[in-house]
Amino acid sequence: MPNTMKLISSVTLSSAQASMDFTSIPSTYTDLKLLASMRVTDGGEGTTPPLSRCELIINGVTTGTSYNVNMLYGIPGAVPSVLAAGGLNSSRNFYSGSADSSNATAGVFSNVSYLIQNYANSSLPKAILIDDVIENMAKTCMCDIRGGSWNSTSAITSLSLRPYNLGNFAQYTTAYLYGIVKS
Amino acid sequence: MTRPTKIEVNCTTGVQSVIELTDEEIAQREADAAAFAEQKAAEEAAAEALASLKASARAKLVAGQPLTEEEAATLVI
């Protein structure tokens, strides 16, 4: 990793869990980078691709209007699509990263990168960039990029990742939280 | 019935804890799952409607028949 990225905390699941929560995040960095490799224990949303959508909850806030995201995604054999998903209504449908479901090839986990800029700022909303690959070692995989924001001026002090459909993250799912300094 | 658990990492102390979800957290998960299922159904219906319009537009083009405004919108930006 570049020397401007400092590992804050990491977690590797030794058993299935409903969520991975990073709390009391120090405010001493400029940006945050969260790298997650995820798989869930249930069948998720089907087989093409074999994924379970996840959500990133910031500061425990579950209000839909606090989040906004647009997603560009591609599946082999299909035309790339743009999806405006989530936020700006009372239902929080914030498609923030995906995990491989139990329908994916055994031992395969998703690869998701979250970049949260200016997280400790207490006067501006926070921009979020998400890169996501649902690998399956087969044609039924997916990749997407998502741009969004957390529409709150509060500094970010906690991040929580969890599957959307009542599933659990599987054993060996990991998440690494890095702080990015200017130099 | 065993309650679901989450793992919490305190980034200041480094302490990791496995914690049972509260009743409120379980209720929130269930509400979110229901909202997501509703949103997903709406997305799939919209995608199906668009695919149907495109197929209809294509067939009419080939047959030399006039397209509706909706059908034309799927082909021409």
Side-chain angles (χ1 to χ4, degrees):
Chain A
M1 287 295 175
N3 60 6
T4 50
M5 283 180 65
K6 309 294 182 187
L7 180 64
I8 298 173
S9 287
S10 67
V11 61
T12 299
L13 298 187
S14 57
S15 62
Q17 300 294 337
S19 71
M20 299 182 287
D21 298 1
F22 291 91
T23 64
S24 300
I25 298 172
S27 61
T28 48
Y29 302 98
T30 305
D31 308 311
L32 291 176
K33 184 103 170 176
L34 177 62
L35 301 178
S37 180
M38 302 184 284
R39 188 179 175 99
V40 296
T41 56
D42 62 281
E45 299 166 40
T47 57
T48 311
L51 63 81
S52 176
R53 296 188 204 271
C54 300
E55 59 177 342
L56 179 71
I57 300 175
I58 300 174
N59 288 3
V61 173
T62 56
T63 307
T65 52
S66 298
Y67 301 88
N68 187 44
V69 69
N70 292 304
M71 178 172 77
L72 172 65
Y73 67 97
I75 299 172
V79 176
S81 299
V82 176
L83 177 66
L88 306 182
N89 57 42
S90 60
S91 171
R92 187 183 73 255
N93 295 311
F94 187 42
Y95 291 5
S96 20
S98 300
D100 270 88
S101 74
S102 61
N103 289 317
T105 301
V108 176
F109 289 67
S110 70
N111 188 329
V112 189
S113 165
Y114 304 84
L115 175 64
I116 304 170
Q117 297 183 298
N118 223 3
Y119 74 103
N121 187 290
S122 57
S123 58
L124 295 170
K126 318 300 185 280
I128 303 175
L129 178 63
I130 306 171
D131 291 328
D132 187 354
V133 174
I134 308 303
E135 181 54 74
N136 191 31
M137 298 175 68
K139 286 193 294 185
T140 55
C141 57
M142 187 178 91
C143 64
D144 60 68
I145 54 174
R146 311 173 198 215
S149 62
W150 189 56
N151 305 322
S152 169
T153 57
S154 300
I156 293 175
T157 58
S158 73
L159 298 172
S160 175
L161 279 171
R162 72 180 195 203
Y164 243 127
N165 61 351
L166 300 178
N168 290 322
F169 288 123
Q171 183 186 26
Y172 305 127
T173 291
T174 63
Y176 287 75
L177 181 63
Y178 293 87
I180 300 175
V181 297
K182 286 180 184 176
S183 61
Chain B
M1 185 176 163
T2 308
R3 274 181 176 266
T5 57
K6 61 180 180 181
I7 189 163
E8 186 178 287
V9 182
N10 185 309
C11 296
T12 300
T13 64
V15 172
Q16 295 195 10
S17 309
V18 175
I19 303 168
E20 280 189 351
L21 298 190
T22 64
D23 289 341
E24 291 74 20
E25 288 172 324
I26 291 172
Q28 183 67 62
R29 264 167 50 104
E30 290 169 353
D32 289 348
F36 170 67
E38 197 178 311
Q39 171 78 8
K40 192 163 187 301
E43 287 172 14
E44 287 171 353
E48 204 171 307
L50 179 60
S52 179
L53 265 180
K54 283 186 172 181
S56 173
R58 195 175 193 284
K60 284 184 177 179
L61 264 184
V62 170
Q65 296 170 351
L67 277 63
T68 64
E69 184 62 41
E70 269 188 319
E71 289 164 339
T74 66
L75 302 175
V76 181
I77 298 174

